[in-house]
Amino acid sequence: ATAVASKCLSGAGSYPGLTIKKVLKAKYPNLARVPALVTILNRMIMGRSGTPKMPMLLANGISDRTGDGVMVEKDVQALAYSYCRRGVRVQFRKYSGLSHLEAYIPFEISAFGFITRNLDGLPVPDGCKSIGPASSLAPVK
């Protein structure tokens, strides 16, 4: 424990078997019941503080039943759907079988083309018709 006491806990695979439960004190079994943390997390919900003015490319790896190990697929889809409903041109990509880090490569390739088209003044395809509602992005109460 002292060997990693000052290290960051991010980085997939750095600490095999480490779970959020093992990091938290026993009196905090449910993070959604810690008021200060809930306030902070609610402020960080993307899409709550404004609407993008330019087209967006959102993507998610899908390495398990919920997402890519970092991002929850249905949350990213809900954000894409929310932006679409506000008139933003959105493309939402899913990278099946890829973790968050592994999805970086195909995402970068897509993002390069997406940004280049946008900067060249070419129309960016709108994928909103294929993006449906998903998870709720409502703050935790």
Side-chain angles (χ1 to χ4, degrees), residues 27-127:
K27 66 181 183 178
Y28 302 114
N30 184 345
L31 293 180
R33 302 276 185 244
V34 180
L37 184 58
V38 169
T39 298
I40 291 166
L41 293 174
N42 283 341
R43 287 182 183 158
M44 293 173 40
I45 296 172
M46 286 187 70
R48 289 197 64 214
S49 61
T51 301
K53 304 243 185 283
M54 53 191 325
M56 299 289 295
L57 171 64
L58 301 174
N60 211 111
I62 304 173
S63 58
D64 60 29
R65 293 183 304 172
T66 60
D68 61 18
V70 174
M71 303 299 296
V72 175
E73 174 199 355
K74 295 296 183 189
D75 290 351
V76 179
Q77 181 179 333
L79 178 62
Y81 180 76
S82 172
Y83 285 155
C84 286
R85 302 227 5 166
R86 295 186 229 166
V88 179
R89 296 173 72 83
V90 178
Q91 290 182 24
F92 176 51
R93 307 258 169 89
K94 301 176 190 181
Y95 301 114
S96 295
L98 300 181
S99 70
H100 192 73
L101 292 175
E102 294 164 336
Y104 173 78
I105 293 171
F107 176 75
E108 280 296 307
I109 293 167
S110 295
F112 182 77
F114 183 86
I115 291 169
T116 300
R117 284 185 68 83
N118 202 5
L119 292 176
D120 287 344
L122 299 172
V124 176
D126 187 355

